[in-house]
Amino acid sequence: MDVRRGWFGVTALVVLVGLVVQIVVTAGISTGRFPGLGSRLFNLFCYFTIQSNVLVLVTSALLAVRPDRPSTLFRTLRLDGVLAIAVTGLVFHTVLKGLHELTGAAAFADFLLHTTSPVLCVVGWLAFGPRGAITGRVIGWSVVFPLAWLAFTLVRGAIIDWYPYPFVDVTELGYGRVLLNCTAVAVLFLGLAAGALWVDRLMSRKQAPVA
């Protein structure tokens, strides 16, 4: 088997297992802010972590089937998946880890989605690319996803008075502090995007055949 396709396939499988386990865990909770099954599952997919992992799952699965995908849409989704899951892992392990004590299946899903998935996705991108897929245009389009998530989160939070993460909790922190927090995450996202562009160009030149 092509090593690239195998890596992408394993990544997709790991993320799928993590998502399925997390869905089962969430479905089994009957108390809390969202008591109804439908509202709990909808709320689950409002988390940036879950959306990032869905992007990783879809793009990795597609790459496992066919590694060469030149469309701007796919390249944007691929970059979004890599950057978003990297941000997820970094923010979780530096800011959010330890806020909740998890055991059993919940801890297993947490490990897959916050640790294993970021490592597999980022290492897979560094090792297998695809190379030459990042441009200024792709980076520009990739910003749409986190901005849309933030806008949705703040509007929904203002309506239902609930926010998925402490650093975007306007009720507790106010809009000024939340804006500063989001600016810091945006700088991280754009910094990673710039770094990804540099690495992509560097490795593309190294892999180019000598005339």
Side-chain angles (χ1 to χ4, degrees):
M1 176 186 289
D2 186 323
V3 176
R4 296 178 302 164
R5 295 174 65 181
W7 187 282
F8 295 139
V10 169
T11 301
L13 179 60
V14 167
V15 176
L16 178 62
V17 171
L19 289 172
V20 169
V21 173
Q22 184 59 65
I23 289 172
V24 172
V25 169
T26 302
I29 300 172
S30 58
T31 60
R33 180 67 175 78
F34 303 95
L37 176 60
S39 61
R40 286 200 306 278
L41 293 180
F42 176 80
N43 186 67
L44 174 65
F45 282 89
C46 292
Y47 279 87
F48 190 81
T49 294
I50 300 300
Q51 295 185 18
S52 300
N53 273 283
V54 169
L55 279 172
V56 172
L57 169 61
V58 172
T59 54
S60 296
L62 289 174
L63 286 171
V65 174
R66 195 184 77 192
D68 181 24
R69 292 181 177 273
S71 74
T72 299
L73 175 60
F74 179 80
R75 291 180 173 186
T76 300
L77 294 177
R78 170 63 171 167
L79 181 61
D80 261 328
V82 173
L83 296 179
I85 204 65
V87 169
T88 293
L90 289 171
V91 172
F92 174 77
H93 285 282
T94 58
V95 178
L96 302 176
K97 188 176 182 179
L99 291 180
H100 303 285
E101 290 294 331
L102 302 176
T103 59
F108 177 63
D110 182 78
F111 178 72
L112 292 184
L113 299 177
H114 285 110
T115 302
T116 311
S117 173
V119 170
L120 286 176
C121 183
V122 173
V123 171
W125 178 80
L126 288 171
F128 307 114
R131 299 274 75 89
I134 302 178
T135 63
R137 182 185 182 191
V138 169
I139 290 176
W141 279 113
S142 71
V143 175
V144 173
F145 163 60
L147 288 179
W149 177 84
L150 178 60
F152 171 79
T153 298
L154 294 180
V155 171
R156 178 174 181 253
I159 295 172
I160 68 173
D161 192 25
W162 186 90
Y163 299 86
Y165 301 106
F167 64 88
V168 292
D169 191 335
V170 175
T171 303
E172 292 292 327
L173 303 178
Y175 280 104
R177 180 62 182 275
V178 168
L179 179 60
L180 287 176
N181 291 342
C182 292
T183 299
V185 176
V187 169
L188 174 61
F189 186 92
L190 292 175
L192 290 173
L197 176 61
W198 179 78
V199 170
D200 187 54
R201 288 179 174 177
L202 179 64
M203 297 186 73
S204 294
R205 287 197 295 270
K206 288 184 176 180
Q207 293 178 9
V210 178

